[in-house]
């Protein structure tokens, strides 16, 4: 009987403290078949530097390191790994690798202009060699006249151009709370019954 009482109390506490959390993510698969945007200009500290883009669909023609990076970025996007970083659901418009002869870092960024035709500035993220995403701050993404994009990159890797649907606030379901408290009430009622039975048995034993 004592074990029954302990079990009921434990289940009650877990039901009160735990609420289900559900999340969803999506990925626009058509991005994998798009051509990478051409590089119209690439400079480092004002000096032109040879830089090209490699489309995800062209990964078979590049080195294994680049293939690994592209595949890792694509899988990560499909798994929704960027959703939490950007605070919403990602819809990837294009995914490609930026390859440059420049040694790029925080003090020597690469400014690369891409031949795109955006009307609104997209969200941009870079997947580096360590398998980490970095979302570019808004000031490092410039939407030029004609829709081209200029990116300020402090690391090289796979670039994802995307739109983000903010995660809406959803009030907790009242139905869920009703069911929860009904179950808790039932468990406490069972606890009281067990307690009374146990108390009565002890009185009889005396």
């Amino acid at each position: 009987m004592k074990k029954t009482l302990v079990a009921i109390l434990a289940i009650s506490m877990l039901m009160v403290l735990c609420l289900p959390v559900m999340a969803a993510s999506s990925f626009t698969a058509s991005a994998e078949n798009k051509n990478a945007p051409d590089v119209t200009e690439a400079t480092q500290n004002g000096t032109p530097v040879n830089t090209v883009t490699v489309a995800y669909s062209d990964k078979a023609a590049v080195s294994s390191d680049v293939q690994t990076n592209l595949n890792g970025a694509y899988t990560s996007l499909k798994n929704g790994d960027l959703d939490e970083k950007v605070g919403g659901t990602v819809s990837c418009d294009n995914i490609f690798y930026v390859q440059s002869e420049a040694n790029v870092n925080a003090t020597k960024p690469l400014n690369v202009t891409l031949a795109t035709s955006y009307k609104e500035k997209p969200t941009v993220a870079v997947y580096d060699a360590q398998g980490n995403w970095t979302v570019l701050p808004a000031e490092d993404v410039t939407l030029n006249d004609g829709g081209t994009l200029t990116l300020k990159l402090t690391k090289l890797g796979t670039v994802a151009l995307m739109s983000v649907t903010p995660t809406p606030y959803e009030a907790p379901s009242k139905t869920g709370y009703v069911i929860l408290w009904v179950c808790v009430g039932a468990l406490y009622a069972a606890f009281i019954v067990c307690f009374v039975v146990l108390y009565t048995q002890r009185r009889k034993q005396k």
Side-chain angles (χ1 to χ4, degrees):
M1 187 65 72
K2 290 182 179 180
K3 291 183 178 180
T4 302
L5 291 175
V6 172
I8 292 174
L9 283 174
I11 294 172
S12 300
M13 293 178 66
L14 286 173
M15 292 182 67
V16 172
L17 296 175
C18 298
L19 290 174
V21 177
M22 300 180 67
S25 60
S26 66
F27 178 75
T28 303
S30 60
E32 66 183 280
N33 300 317
K34 285 190 174 182
N35 294 325
D38 292 329
V39 175
T40 61
E41 183 181 32
T43 61
Q44 186 178 50
N45 295 332
T47 302
V49 58
N50 184 33
T51 302
V52 296
T53 54
V54 179
Y56 179 83
S57 58
D58 294 332
K59 63 182 183 295
V62 294
S63 69
S64 59
D65 288 343
V66 175
Q67 289 183 40
T68 299
N69 192 271
L70 281 164
N71 286 328
Y74 180 73
T75 300
S76 180
L77 277 169
K78 286 185 67 177
N79 291 338
D81 294 343
L82 259 178
D83 291 5
E84 185 175 351
K85 281 181 174 290
V86 298
T89 300
V90 168
S91 179
C92 184
D93 178 60
N94 207 335
I95 179 172
F96 53 90
Y97 189 87
V98 175
Q99 198 166 31
S100 179
E101 64 181 16
N103 181 20
V104 180
N105 53 50
T107 59
K108 294 181 179 180
L110 176 70
N111 293 297
V112 55
T113 300
L114 304 172
T116 57
S117 56
Y118 283 99
K119 294 182 179 179
E120 295 182 2
K121 185 190 296 187
T123 300
V124 182
V126 180
Y127 186 83
D128 61 28
Q130 287 71 46
N132 300 313
W133 283 106
T134 299
V135 180
L136 269 59
E139 60 268 24
D140 289 349
V141 180
T142 303
L143 180 60
N144 306 306
D145 293 338
T148 62
L149 286 176
T150 298
L151 310 180
K152 180 181 179 182
L153 303 177
T154 58
K155 58 181 65 177
L156 298 180
T158 297
V159 172
L161 306 180
M162 57 199 167
S163 60
V164 177
T165 302
T167 302
Y169 170 76
E170 295 184 2
S173 171
K174 293 182 179 180
T175 301
Y177 277 112
V178 170
I179 295 174
L180 173 66
W181 288 111
V182 167
C183 292
V184 171
L187 285 170
Y188 272 109
F191 168 77
I192 293 173
V193 170
C194 291
F195 178 81
V196 171
V197 171
L198 181 62
Y199 179 78
T200 303
Q201 288 178 346
R202 287 186 173 182
R203 288 291 300 270
K204 289 181 177 180
Q205 290 175 357
K206 292 181 179 179

